Amino acid sequence: MKFRLLAILFCLFQLASFAQNKYDKSKEIGLLAGTAYYLGEVNPHKHFGTALKLSGGLSFRNNFNKRWTMKASLLYGQVEAYDADSDDPWIRNRNLHFRNQFIESSLQFELNYFEYQIGSENWISPYLFMGLSYTSMKPQASINGVWFELQPLGTEGQGTSEGEAKYNTGIVTMPLGIGLKVNIYKIFGFSMEWGIRRTFTDYFDDISGVYVDPEFLADQNGTPAALLADQSIVKARPDGTNTGYQRGDPGRKDLYFFVLGSLNVRIDKKATSCWNGQLLTP
């Protein structure tokens, strides 16, 4: 019954889209800039609780009508977080850190709460968005200022004779969020959005499972792997290691977020053209 209802709603949406006046359709390109942050093992709960770095990219919007939009985007993001900044004593003692520089390509659908179009009297609207994306990530950590890519090192024993395969650095993610669109001048508009990305992986920060024997890890994957795997201040075992103890929480997937502003330009009409019977003027 649920699938039938969804099919009916989809068909109604398609009919409504085709029934729109041709002047309700438009196309835009956008230049985005803002920041990104994440929630995971290093920063479990605090929004905007990581080092905020510049992020941004490009977008293309195909507006089917004044309510529904399909958006394609290519974004660059970077996050950086340190256990030492946590309020949790256990996390501070773990003393890990990471940065991740990633590229996201996505296809999203937007629903404007009000009718909206650049260059028309419909000049402002909140909106919702949801879609799918592919993210290429590169978690890293440093030793004495030298940054190492963590996935090739297998810090939790991945790639060793007794460990699992190394995790993928190309992942499917699900973007969803809210935003606000506003017209600025003729063919120009501005939008601001906050969006969450469900990653379906716990290795965005390279922290998930348990500590492995540091001597075994150094022998199998190299000394940098062992050094970056365990930087805790106080070790749990009498032998001075954390072997077998929990390093992360595999039951909780990592999330990352974008907060972006976008300058949008309508490209399907010239600045001197008219649509809806009038041209928006300042």
Side-chain angles (χ1 to χ4, degrees), residues 10 78 99 102 106 155 157 175 191 215 242:
F10 178 77
Q78 50 182 335
R99 73 179 184 188
F102 53 96
S106 72
T155 54
S191 58
E215 292 186 3
N242 287 314

Side-chain angles (χ1 to χ4, degrees), residues 224-242:
L227 292 175
L228 291 169
D230 187 356
Q231 297 182 306
S232 56
I233 299 170
V234 178
K235 306 296 193 289
R237 292 170 57 94
D239 62 1
T241 73
N242 287 314

Side-chain angles (χ1 to χ4, degrees), residues 42-191:
V42 182
N43 180 49
H45 308 296
K46 189 182 298 183
H47 287 269
F48 300 96
T50 59
L52 300 180
K53 304 288 185 177
L54 181 64
S55 301
L58 301 171
S59 69
F60 169 78
R61 282 186 171 96
N62 183 13
N63 302 300
F64 300 127
N65 51 52
K66 294 179 180 179
R67 285 289 180 88
W68 287 97
T69 296
M70 181 176 69
K71 180 176 73 175
S73 65
L74 182 66
L75 299 176
Y76 166 79
Q78 50 182 335
V79 297
E80 189 172 326
Y82 295 81
D83 278 349
D85 296 331
S86 176
D87 296 328
D88 187 314
W90 186 88
I91 293 178
R92 285 203 309 272
N93 181 71
R94 184 178 58 188
N95 198 36
L96 293 174
H97 69 281
F98 84 103
R99 73 179 184 188
N100 198 334
Q101 299 170 325
F102 53 96
I103 296 176
E104 174 194 283
S105 56
S106 72
L107 187 65
Q108 304 170 21
F109 286 92
E110 298 176 346
L111 172 61
N112 298 327
Y113 187 76
F114 305 125
E115 290 190 345
Y116 171 83
Q117 186 179 58
I118 291 180
S120 80
E121 71 279 7
N122 307 111
W123 66 278
I124 186 171
S125 179
Y127 66 97
L128 305 173
F129 66 88
M130 184 176 183
L132 285 175
S133 56
Y134 177 83
T135 302
S136 178
M137 62 178 188
K138 188 168 66 175
Q140 299 176 314
S142 67
I143 302 174
N144 297 325
V146 179
W147 289 87
F148 294 82
E149 290 189 35
L150 294 170
Q151 187 265 4
L153 295 180
T155 54
E156 293 184 352
Q158 303 98 329
T160 65
S161 59
E162 298 180 5
E164 300 178 350
K166 295 178 180 178
Y167 58 83
N168 292 324
T169 55
I171 57 174
V172 175
T173 58
M174 179 182 291
L176 63 157
I178 58 175
L180 180 69
K181 299 175 182 177
V182 181
N183 283 357
I184 301 177
Y185 178 79
K186 294 183 179 179
I187 63 170
F188 296 100
F190 179 79
S191 58

Side-chain angles (χ1 to χ4, degrees), residues 2-18 64 68 109:
K2 291 182 180 179
F3 288 108
R4 289 180 182 178
L5 179 60
L6 288 174
I8 292 171
L9 290 174
F10 178 77
C11 291
L12 290 174
F13 163 63
Q14 292 297 321
L15 290 173
S17 297
F18 285 120
F64 300 127
W68 287 97
F109 286 92

Side-chain angles (χ1 to χ4, degrees), residues 210-228:
V210 299
Y211 293 97
V212 298
D213 185 335
E215 292 186 3
F216 171 78
L217 188 59
D219 181 65
Q220 295 268 313
N221 288 358
T223 301
L227 292 175
L228 291 169

